[in-house]
Amino acid sequence: MTQAPARSRSVRRRHDREIVALAVPAFGALVAEPLFVLADSAIVGHLGTAQLAGLGVASALLTTAVSIFVFLAYATTAAVARRVGAGELQAAIRQGMDGIWLALLLGAAVIAVVLPTAPALVSLFGTSDTATPYATTYLRISALGIPAMLVVLAATGVLRGLQNTRTPLYVAVAGFITNAALNAGLVYGAGLGIAGSAWGTVIAQCGMAAVYLVVVVRGARRHGASLRPDTAGIKASAQAGVPLLVRTLSLRAILMIATAVAARLGDADVAAHQIILSLWSLLAFALDAIAIAGQAIIGRCLGAGDAQGARDACRRMVEWGTAVGVVLGALVVVARPVFLPLFTSDSLVKDAALPALIVVALSQPISGVVFVLDGVLMGAGDGPYLAWAMLLTLAVFTPVALIVPTLGGGLTALWAAMALMMAVRLLTLWLRARSGRWIVTGATR
């Protein structure tokens, strides 16, 4: 009678160790990434307001361009993890190489588009005449680093699939330090201004990509995997990424609609919205770290044919997501009086943000489960369902958000609509997880 509970506790402890071992380094790597932009902003900000404004516009364009291709990490993690679970390390690394080659091709295509259209892209933001030259300069130079940035995404997916989240953490931290040092030296030491900041970032990104390539190439040689581009493999990687691209674009559309609605509410509301959105993004990093662990663990279990192990891991990660969401929600409530003064001294902005922050806090447990189940289904390679589910969420959120200004609910009502969006995601993901249709075992889905 006591053996079953003992085994259950043993399974939970094993999953807990795996989740912590994968999620903690993943969180560190995720947090290190936005520090690139913060370092650039801190250094360029001392050059002048026009330079900082130009950096803000160019960074927004670059971040959007790269975030669209985040499927390079997600799809590669799931595919590689399945092969690892099946004991096919050579095929796992070969599949990872296909993702890296796809990243290089996409990076080259983005450069071909951005370089000649940089002035037009900058003008879409309504940038001032004084900031436009700086934005264009930064965008054109930084675009040269996009292939490296996409290689980093794909290679990160390879290592996560191999159950290795420590190396991405080390590379991210080293990249941040290198980027900050290069920017300071090139901007002020060499007197290159904003161009120096862009070149420093490009060099740091290329260095990170080079380190990843060395690690992956060594693994390929160790296991006898080919490094040559394989047309069929690259095509398969692209096809696996299309549903996740649709999912990502739908999510980006939701965030853009929310910002557009906030702008219609007034200056204080849109300022408060930006503060809350930055906090929401930071909280998402913590939850996304558990999702990354989910991608790696679920992919490996399904590749090994361990359907019950996948179910057990999913259940345990949902418990983790719920618990972390509760803790984060409580921290938001407690830290409100300290958090808001860091960003503004305007009482109108604070008044708009305070009740909306309560909504964010209350929705964190929901967000925790959503992120985890998102990672579970990604790890299972269930991209098509994720795409359709996010399109449905976008269809529900859009009309609700657009009527917020008419109803007069202000920013609190807008973030209630965001909470509704997360609740819809929870429903669609929970129904899929409960159905068990995502459980498809084998080296490939």
Side-chain angles (χ1 to χ4, degrees), residues 98-402:
D98 292 334
I100 290 173
W101 280 111
L102 176 61
L104 287 169
L105 292 173
L106 291 173
V110 173
I111 287 179
V113 171
V114 171
L115 288 183
T117 62
L121 291 172
V122 169
S123 69
L124 290 176
F125 280 74
T127 314
S128 68
D129 292 340
T130 54
T132 292
Y134 298 114
T136 302
T137 296
Y138 190 93
L139 181 59
R140 278 182 165 156
I141 295 173
S142 294
L144 299 176
I146 287 179
M149 296 168 72
L150 299 189
V151 166
V152 167
L153 284 177
T156 299
V158 176
L159 295 181
R160 288 173 181 170
L162 293 171
Q163 318 296 295
N164 176 3
T165 56
R166 289 179 178 268
T167 299
L169 171 61
Y170 300 149
V171 175
V173 171
F176 166 71
I177 295 172
T178 302
N179 176 65
L182 285 171
N183 277 9
L186 294 175
V187 170
Y188 298 113
L192 296 179
I194 195 169
S197 176
W199 280 118
T201 301
V202 169
I203 294 170
Q205 289 162 347
C206 289
M208 292 170 66
V211 172
Y212 274 119
L213 289 175
V214 168
V215 173
V216 174
V217 168
R218 283 180 178 174
R221 289 176 175 170
R222 187 182 310 119
H223 297 286
S226 174
L227 299 174
R228 295 179 180 179
D230 176 66
T231 303
I234 294 173
K235 183 178 179 181
S237 294
Q239 289 174 339
V242 168
L244 296 180
L245 174 61
V246 172
R247 169 200 167 276
T248 300
L249 289 174
S250 300
L251 181 57
R252 296 294 300 183
I254 287 171
L255 298 178
M256 289 176 64
I257 290 170
T259 299
V261 171
R264 292 172 61 187
L265 297 175
D267 289 347
D269 287 287
V270 73
H273 175 74
Q274 288 304 114
I275 294 171
I276 295 172
L277 190 60
S278 67
L279 174 63
W280 191 79
S281 299
L282 178 62
L283 298 174
F285 285 134
L287 299 174
D288 203 27
I290 305 175
I292 288 170
Q295 294 171 32
I297 295 171
I298 294 298
R300 190 197 65 220
C301 287
L302 295 178
D306 186 4
Q308 186 57 48
R311 291 189 185 93
D312 292 340
C314 175
R315 187 179 303 110
R316 190 56 178 163
M317 280 182 286
V318 166
E319 293 171 356
W320 268 83
T322 304
V324 173
V326 170
V327 171
L328 292 177
L331 287 175
V332 170
V333 173
V334 172
R336 281 185 310 153
V338 179
F339 174 74
L340 287 175
L342 294 176
F343 291 87
T344 182
S345 58
D346 190 324
S347 60
L348 292 177
V349 176
K350 291 180 182 178
D351 290 343
L354 280 171
L357 278 174
I358 294 294
V359 176
V360 172
L362 292 175
S363 65
Q364 283 309 295
I366 295 176
S367 298
V369 179
V370 166
F371 274 78
V372 165
L373 292 179
D374 207 37
V376 166
L377 296 185
M378 283 185 190
D382 205 12
Y385 181 83
L386 290 172
W388 284 111
M390 190 58 79
L391 286 171
L392 173 63
T393 303
L394 174 62
V396 173
F397 171 79
T398 301
V400 174
L402 292 178

Side-chain angles (χ1 to χ4, degrees), residues 2-16:
T2 60
Q3 289 181 348
R7 281 198 301 270
S8 178
R9 287 194 296 271
S10 176
V11 169
R12 286 199 301 271
R13 284 196 296 268
R14 187 181 77 247
H15 286 314
D16 289 345

